[in-house]
Amino acid sequence: MKTLYLVRHAKASKEPKYYEDQTRPLTPQGEHDIKQVAGMLHRFEVAPDLILCSTALRTRQTLEGLTAMGMPSATIAMQPELYLASASRLFDIVCQQPDTCDSVMIIGHNQGLHQLAIALTGTGDISSLQMLSHQFPTLACVGITFDAHSWSELSLAAGDLDFYCAPNQDGSSMPALSAGFAG
């Protein structure tokens, strides 16, 4: 069994003073959202063996925030090729991971992450699938499991969507959270 976690970075600044996209920092709202989502990931017992993180500032700050909030430690690899990677490129990267890792987390960017999550997911809780199909906002996270012994065995639509979560987007205190199991 292999489990893939896809995490979009937290909300980042759009201020014009950050001329280079890769240097955009998190906003105070993004930092707040990390606390909310870290609690959800704890509820789902997310403990990746390996974390692959884009080298953009906002993804590194997201990783730092999640680990500071108690996400279990894992091997971390900073990978420049994750920056704005397409779904196809992300899929290739996932399939190249060592089979000694049963769970891998990618912290990256849209549209590639959202497209990959949709492409890999074939089954799961109807509510989670519907939420995923409609949006993948900043700091959205999914957990997808595969009945596979090797990352190279993964195929499109073969994954089971275990959960979808995202920070609240409407100012309410309730985050978007859906899972196919009681937790």
Side-chain angles (χ1 to χ4, degrees), residues 49-154:
D49 298 323
L50 174 64
I51 299 173
L52 307 176
C53 185
S54 164
T55 55
L57 178 59
R58 60 192 178 272
T59 52
R60 290 179 305 171
Q61 289 178 324
T62 299
L63 171 61
E64 290 166 7
L66 290 173
T67 55
M69 293 302 300
M71 189 170 68
S73 59
T75 301
I76 297 171
M78 304 305 291
Q79 297 198 333
E81 62 268 29
L82 294 176
Y83 177 69
L84 301 181
S86 68
S88 174
R89 180 67 186 125
L90 290 169
F91 182 71
D92 290 344
I93 290 168
V94 170
C95 290
Q96 295 169 9
Q97 296 314 303
D99 293 330
T100 54
C101 294
D102 288 327
S103 59
V104 172
M105 175 181 280
I106 295 179
I107 302 176
H109 311 268
N110 256 1
Q111 293 301 323
L113 282 179
H114 189 202
Q115 292 168 348
L116 179 64
I118 290 171
L120 290 177
T121 304
T123 60
D125 173 68
I126 295 298
S127 177
S128 297
L129 291 166
Q130 288 176 338
M131 291 172 82
L132 174 61
S133 71
H134 288 99
Q135 63 178 349
F136 204 70
T138 52
L139 209 51
C141 308
V142 294
I144 306 168
T145 56
F146 301 88
D147 186 16
H149 297 290
S150 173
W151 291 104
S152 64
E153 295 173 5
L154 300 191

Side-chain angles (χ1 to χ4, degrees), residues 14-26:
K14 293 184 181 180
E15 291 184 35
K17 67 180 176 182
Y18 301 106
Y19 297 110
E20 177 133 355
D21 184 60
Q22 289 200 43
T23 63
R24 290 173 40 217
L26 297 184

